[in-house]
């Protein structure tokens, strides 16, 4: 299948779909495609159906009988049989979809599948029965049935545990947001500092540029503030209310006020369960359920502490939601009045740097270290990259480590390949390097990791002074990573 010329990137996803769809072997097969909203799943699957002559059906939130009528009408228009389809139940409908692949491999997409399953909870079991191994309708078909959904909590349960479709899928494809490098290309931004600031607000969601901002990208660094005012903070644009809609569209989030408050607590810097509970003036046990639900929905991400067991921290997974809670929600009444955005943004820029841009830069540095850094720079291949707090028993203080690179454990202790500090607005110098050396000594004393080859990483959005540059030239122990390196421009 030829990928459409107007599809940006998604080479991996298109290749995976192509292999699944074009598989010539007999027997209908099942694939599951998931991902947060606005990532381009519908565009991707619709394009695949067009390229391979398949059938695409987009479900809506409707009663079961209405959905069956809509599917009957859509399949009638696609096949154009002598008499139109009138499906009495989903078993009959699924068999008709399997019949589409009687002569060749054919993709059949049911988009927004959670809507159908919500109206008819038996639908996954019906599909399981239809795809039973020795069933003639399955054996005589080469339909490649693709179920797609944006409700991550539901899609995550679809193939897990004792779910009817567990073990049935030949494809499990997650359509993720574009990473920081691809997002910069997508937004046509070549200045890495500007790219990071835009990415801290809209992340890597393709729809936010194409549909929501109507192609409006900041022209240069001087245009950034005006761009925020005319797009993100403008009540006339779709981006203005998008963060609220993302939360409302999750089916498992019933007590919206409580979930909003949990996200607000994290956006205000309360990254632990105890911190969130204190912010909400509740017991930690009272917020365990909303935290788990937000995790399942893909809105909160749990990060294990690299140096302390059972001390996880949480971060908001969607940058736009983090920006909304840190910047927009506290002054929502002002922003809803047209013409107030410029004044609000002027007063919020400091909070944007400290509560949004700084933490986002740290996370991008961790992502870069895991997915883009040359293993030679790190002294080995990273198994995982996290962050955490190292306790200093003599000083009775905790030292935060922004980047902790753990290697592949071949012996008793996993190697700590590197530890790092990431500062957006600070010029890093020898004091930051000495601090990392001290932390490395503390980690060695704790005995959890092998620190004999641990390197020191300094990430900065503002640069490095002469002493830091001299330390980096002395040997591989100290590595300085600037924005150009993070964006692959050097």
């Amino acid at each position: 299948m030829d990928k459409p010329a107007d599809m940006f990137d998604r080479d991996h996803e298109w290749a995976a779909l192509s292999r699944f769809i074009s598989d010539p072997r007999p027997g209908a097969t099942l694939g599951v495609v998931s991902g947060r909203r606005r990532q381009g799943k519908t565009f991707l699957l619709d394009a695949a159906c067009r390229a391979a002559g398949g059938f695409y059906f987009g479900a809506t939130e409707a009663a079961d009988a209405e959905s069956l009528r809509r599917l009957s009408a859509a399949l009638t228009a696609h096949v154009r049989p002598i008499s139109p389809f009138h499906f009495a139940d989903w078993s009959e409908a699924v068999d008709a979809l399997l019949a589409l692949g009687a002569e060749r491999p054919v993709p059949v997409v049911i988009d927004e599948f959670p809507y159908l399953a919500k109206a008819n909870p038996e639908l996954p079991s019906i599909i399981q029965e239809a795809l039973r191994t020795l069933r003639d309708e399955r054996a005589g078909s080469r339909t490649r049935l693709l179920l797609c959904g944006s409700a991550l909590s539901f899609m995550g349960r679809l193939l897990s545990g004792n779910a009817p479709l567990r073990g049935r899928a030949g494809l499990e494809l997650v359509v993720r947001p574009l990473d920081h490098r691809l997002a910069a290309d997508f937004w046509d931004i070549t200045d890495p500092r500007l790219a990071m600031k835009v990415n801290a607000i809209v992340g890597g969601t393709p729809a936010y540029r194409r549909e929501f901002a109507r192609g409006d990208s900041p022209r240069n660094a001087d245009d950034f503030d005006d761009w925020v005012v005319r797009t993100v903070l403008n009540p006339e644009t779709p981006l203005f209310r998008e963060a609220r809609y993302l939360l409302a569209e999750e089916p498992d989030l019933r007590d919206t006020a409580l979930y909003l408050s949990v996200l607000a607590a994290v956006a205000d810097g309360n990254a632990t369960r105890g911190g969130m509970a204190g912010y909400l003036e509740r017991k930690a046990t009272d917020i365990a359920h909303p935290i788990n639900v937000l995790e399942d929905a893909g809105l909160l991400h749990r990060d294990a502490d690299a140096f302390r067991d059972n001390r996880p921290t949480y971060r908001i997974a969607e940058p736009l939601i983090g920006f909304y809670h840190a910047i927009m929600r506290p002054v929502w009444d002002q922003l809803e009045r047209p013409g107030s955005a410029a004044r609000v943004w002027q007063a919020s820029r400091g909070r944007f740097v400290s509560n949004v841009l700084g933490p986002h830069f740290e996370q991008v540095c961790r992502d870069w270290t895991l997915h883009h850094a040359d293993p030679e720079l790190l002294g080995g291949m990273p198994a995982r990259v996290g962050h955490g707090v190292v306790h200093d028993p003599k000083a009775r203080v905790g030292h935060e480590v922004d980047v902790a690179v753990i290697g592949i454990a071949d012996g008793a202790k996993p190697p700590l390949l590197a530890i790092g500090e990431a500062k957006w607005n600070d010029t890093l110098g020898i004091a930051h390097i000495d601090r990392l050396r001290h932390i490395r000594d503390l980690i060695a004393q704790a005995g959890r990791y092998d620190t004999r080859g641990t390197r020191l990483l300094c990430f900065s959005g503002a640069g490095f002074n002469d002493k830091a540059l001299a330390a980096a030239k002395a040997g591989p122990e100290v590595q300085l990573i600037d924005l150009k390196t993070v964006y692959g421009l050097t």
Side-chain angles (χ1 to χ4, degrees), residues 7 87 106 110 113 136 158 167 184 192 219 240 250 421 425 478:
M7 181 179 292
F87 300 127
V106 172
I110 300 180
F113 180 72
D136 292 340
L158 195 60
R219 295 182 295 273
F240 181 74
E250 287 295 331
E421 185 160 1
N425 261 345
V478 177

Side-chain angles (χ1 to χ4, degrees), residues 247-259:
L247 199 67
E249 288 171 348
E250 287 295 331
D252 289 345
L253 306 188
R254 295 180 179 87
D255 186 358
T256 306
L258 177 58
Y259 295 110

Side-chain angles (χ1 to χ4, degrees), residues 1 14-24 29 44-45 47-49 51-54 104-109 142-146 171:
M1 300 191 316
W14 187 262
L17 282 173
S18 296
R19 289 191 298 269
F20 177 76
I21 290 170
S22 61
D23 184 353
T29 51
L44 181 71
L45 293 171
C49 283
R104 62 180 181 86
V106 172
V108 173
V109 172
R142 282 180 287 179
T143 287
R144 308 308 176 210
L145 180 61
L146 290 155
L171 173 72

